[in-house]
Amino acid sequence: MAKDGIHAIILVYSVRTRFSEEEQATFLTIQALFGHKIVDYMLVVFTGGDDLEANEETLDDYLDSNCPQALQVSYYDKHFPISFLMFTNANCYYDEK
């Protein structure tokens, strides 16, 4: 653990796959280990946002239909200040210069 405590916990998920049982348990396990205040230090990142855009879906749509209940509650409840972020993978390139 960091000298001054935890600075951030970043959970990364893909919107292209379903949540596994292990992924569903991760959030609850972190809360059980560190307490409910740990959500103040959490950032949940979703990759594959371009797939949602192609299907004319939003992150809200995805969370409503495919996301574990614990993350849904955290997303919609203002008492859980978890930050949610979505990245698109399209139009990314690597310049070899």
Side-chain angles (χ1 to χ4, degrees):
M1 190 148 0
K3 179 181 175 187
D4 297 327
I6 295 174
H7 296 279
I9 292 180
I10 302 171
L11 301 173
V12 181
Y13 300 109
S14 173
V15 299
R16 294 177 175 153
T17 59
R18 292 198 162 271
F19 281 89
S20 68
E21 288 183 29
E22 291 84 7
E23 290 171 328
Q24 292 181 30
T26 300
F27 177 78
L28 296 174
T29 301
I30 290 171
Q31 275 193 318
L33 290 172
F34 297 104
H36 292 287
K37 292 295 284 178
I38 196 65
V39 297
D40 295 345
Y41 302 95
M42 283 186 156
L43 172 64
V44 179
V45 177
F46 292 94
T47 62
D50 47 310
D51 285 2
L52 293 181
E53 290 173 358
N55 294 326
E56 297 182 2
E57 291 184 83
T58 65
L59 183 57
D60 287 343
D61 297 331
Y62 175 77
L63 292 173
D64 285 341
S65 63
N66 296 312
C67 194
Q69 183 67 29
L71 285 178
Q72 286 178 355
V73 169
S74 299
Y75 183 72
Y76 293 110
D77 188 341
K78 293 180 181 173
H79 295 99
F80 290 92
I82 298 176
S83 298
F84 288 78
L85 179 66
M86 185 172 61
F87 285 105
T88 62
N89 297 79
N91 300 325
C92 294
Y93 67 93
Y94 176 74
D95 189 357
E96 294 184 16
K97 292 182 183 177

